[in-house]
Amino acid sequence: MITEREIFLTDPEEKEKVIEFLKTFDLTFTGNIDYTMGLFDDGKLIGTGSLGGRVMRDIAISEDYQKKGLTRRIIRNLQGESFRRGITGNQIFTKPKNVPVFEHMGFKPVAVAEPYAGLLEHGDDTLDDYLHRIRTILGSGEGINRGAIVMNCNPFTLGHRSLVEYAVNNCDEVIIFAVQEDRSIFPFSDRFSLIKQGVKDMKNVSVVSGGNYIISNATFPTYFIKGTDELAAQTKLDATVFATRIAPALNITVRFVGEEPTDKTTLAYNQAMREVFSNNGIELKIIPREQKGNQIVSASTVRKALSEDDWETIYRMVPKSTLTYLKSPDGQEIIRKIKMLDAFKAMDKKEKTTTTKKKKVAKK
């Protein structure tokens, strides 16, 4: 008899079983995972599926048990858990060959990025719903040269502002999509506010949420978890959703991004956009990063400076609106968290170094 139950990821042995099981399907157990279930036959794991927010992923069934209706059973379990969490709409991140399977269960394809990944959705708060809300705010954009920028702004810097200024000077209207996924040290509500304050003096610039479809846990979890094996799949999928669904619906003809000389994830994302956009008639403009002296202005540099109380660097790299926030009680709480996280990282690094030295001594 096949049974189902939650797999508790806090148990190292249980988690390792899922990881090893998924490896046989070339699936990597990474990203924002809140819940995992398993199907068992006499105690043996034969199928599994996970939830990360509203995203269903890592759905797999042993070959001997396929075509027995067990995929639908996994989906029902994940939908039930979603309802318990107050989620009434789901997305599925899967391989392109599996898209028809989920279509038969009522899921609607959002985009497919061959040969890597497909994204489907079901229930409330769909991509069409999101685009309808954005069109209501911004209008159709017909007859104008409308550009777009996607920003995380963790926090908003003079580099971000410089990119917006360039975009404003090169098109009629600019839409800034703020990354909604709350996986950064600065919360979304604060990042959104910082962007709006940082560009409020500019004409023809609108700031909206990127929702669940732009650098989200559904389209691009590796943006928040660097260097995993799914990078190629997710960069191309996110670019495909934007190029084939979002840009046409909002009449966006050009997207502006900052040049990325060092970060592999952002560099791969820029490369994926260049390929996908060129095939869909959208221009990609990559702009050199803003520099102050010999330093590139970046949010990561600002966070490092905050950790080290290097206010001289911070003054050079952020606008007055961000500086005011950083000195506020909310900003000071974020700075405290940054320092605490960096202290934990330093301790962890020290412990690993000590362990490595002990192992080397033991081998001698």
Side-chain angles (χ1 to χ4, degrees):
M1 179 181 175
I2 296 174
T3 58
E4 63 186 70
R5 65 170 176 83
E6 179 177 357
I7 293 176
F8 296 99
L9 302 178
T10 52
D11 183 328
E13 290 187 9
E14 290 237 299
K15 184 174 181 179
E16 187 60 27
K17 285 180 182 178
V18 176
I19 291 171
E20 292 302 314
F21 181 78
L22 291 173
K23 279 182 181 179
T24 64
F25 299 90
D26 294 324
L27 293 174
T28 308
F29 198 59
T30 59
N32 180 27
I33 298 171
D34 303 314
Y35 169 84
T36 296
M37 62 81 64
L39 295 176
F40 297 85
D41 188 2
D42 196 23
K44 177 186 175 184
L45 180 64
I46 61 156
T48 185
S50 293
L51 272 178
R54 69 200 301 265
V55 184
M56 298 179 180
R57 51 172 296 164
D58 300 324
I59 297 169
I61 297 171
S62 294
E63 187 175 354
D64 293 343
Y65 293 84
Q66 292 176 8
K67 298 182 179 180
K68 297 180 183 294
L70 296 181
T71 301
R72 191 176 294 275
R73 185 166 171 177
I74 291 173
I75 295 299
R76 281 201 301 267
N77 182 292
L78 297 179
Q79 285 178 325
E81 182 63 25
S82 294
F83 286 133
R84 282 190 286 276
R85 292 168 181 257
I87 299 168
T88 57
N90 290 109
Q91 297 163 309
I92 287 182
F93 180 86
T94 188
K95 293 183 177 181
K97 67 178 182 180
N98 297 328
V99 168
V101 175
F102 297 111
E103 281 187 284
H104 290 147
M105 297 181 194
F107 283 80
K108 180 181 177 181
V110 174
V112 178
E114 294 284 0
Y116 299 111
L119 180 68
L120 304 94
E121 61 186 359
H122 180 272
D124 297 334
D125 203 15
T126 65
L127 178 54
D128 286 339
D129 295 332
Y130 168 76
L131 292 173
H132 176 73
R133 289 197 299 271
I134 299 301
R135 280 196 299 266
T136 300
I137 297 169
L138 303 178
S140 67
E142 290 184 21
I144 62 174
N145 180 20
R146 180 180 265 182
I149 305 174
V150 174
M151 289 184 166
N152 193 40
C153 297
N154 189 37
F156 186 82
T157 69
L158 290 172
H160 294 114
R161 181 176 168 88
S162 177
L163 180 59
V164 179
E165 288 172 344
Y166 181 92
V168 167
N169 290 327
N170 284 272
C171 56
D172 301 323
E173 182 179 312
V174 178
I175 303 172
I176 300 175
F177 294 93
V179 174
Q180 181 177 294
E181 196 75 43
D182 239 336
R183 307 283 303 283
S184 301
I185 190 71
F186 289 83
F188 170 68
S189 58
D190 292 2
R191 289 187 287 107
F192 190 82
S193 177
L194 286 175
I195 297 171
K196 295 197 76 169
Q197 291 174 36
V199 301
K200 68 179 181 180
D201 60 313
M202 299 184 190
K203 293 182 179 180
N204 300 321
V205 177
S206 301
V207 184
V208 298
S209 166
N212 296 308
Y213 300 92
I214 299 178
I215 308 185
S216 70
N217 190 45
T219 64
F220 202 165
T222 50
Y223 184 86
F224 306 96
I225 301 174
K226 309 294 185 183
T228 66
D229 295 336
E230 296 173 319
L231 184 56
Q234 294 167 18
T235 52
K236 189 171 182 182
L237 178 62
D238 190 273
T240 301
V241 173
F242 186 87
T244 63
R245 299 292 304 276
I246 295 172
L250 300 175
N251 286 301
I252 293 168
T253 56
V254 55
R255 181 157 155 185
F256 300 88
V257 300
E259 183 181 34
E260 183 47 68
T262 57
D263 185 274
K264 291 182 179 179
T265 300
T266 307
L267 180 61
Y269 188 34
N270 286 357
Q271 291 171 340
M273 283 190 285
R274 185 184 292 110
E275 176 190 343
V276 173
F277 288 8
S278 65
N279 293 329
N280 288 276
I282 300 169
E283 186 179 4
L284 179 70
K285 288 195 174 183
I286 301 178
I287 313 306
R289 299 286 286 273
E290 179 82 359
Q291 285 194 231
K292 296 294 181 181
N294 60 355
Q295 276 186 308
I296 291 176
V297 178
S298 71
S300 59
T301 301
V302 171
R303 294 195 302 273
K304 184 175 184 294
L306 289 169
S307 179
E308 298 171 353
D309 286 323
D310 179 7
W311 286 93
E312 182 180 343
T313 295
I314 296 163
Y315 283 128
R316 289 201 314 270
M317 293 198 172
V318 302
K320 185 178 179 180
S321 53
T322 298
L323 189 62
T324 300
Y325 165 82
L326 291 173
K327 290 181 175 291
S328 72
D330 287 344
Q332 290 295 301
E333 178 62 20
I334 295 297
I335 293 171
R336 186 189 69 78
K337 289 180 181 179
I338 290 172
K339 290 179 177 180
M340 183 174 64
L341 287 171
D342 281 358
F344 284 145
K345 287 177 184 177
M347 289 172 57
D348 186 52
K349 184 178 180 180
K350 185 177 180 181
E351 286 178 6
K352 287 179 179 177
T353 302
T354 302
T355 301
T356 301
K357 287 181 178 178
K358 288 180 178 178
K359 285 181 179 178
K360 286 181 178 179
V361 170
K363 287 181 179 179
K364 290 182 178 179

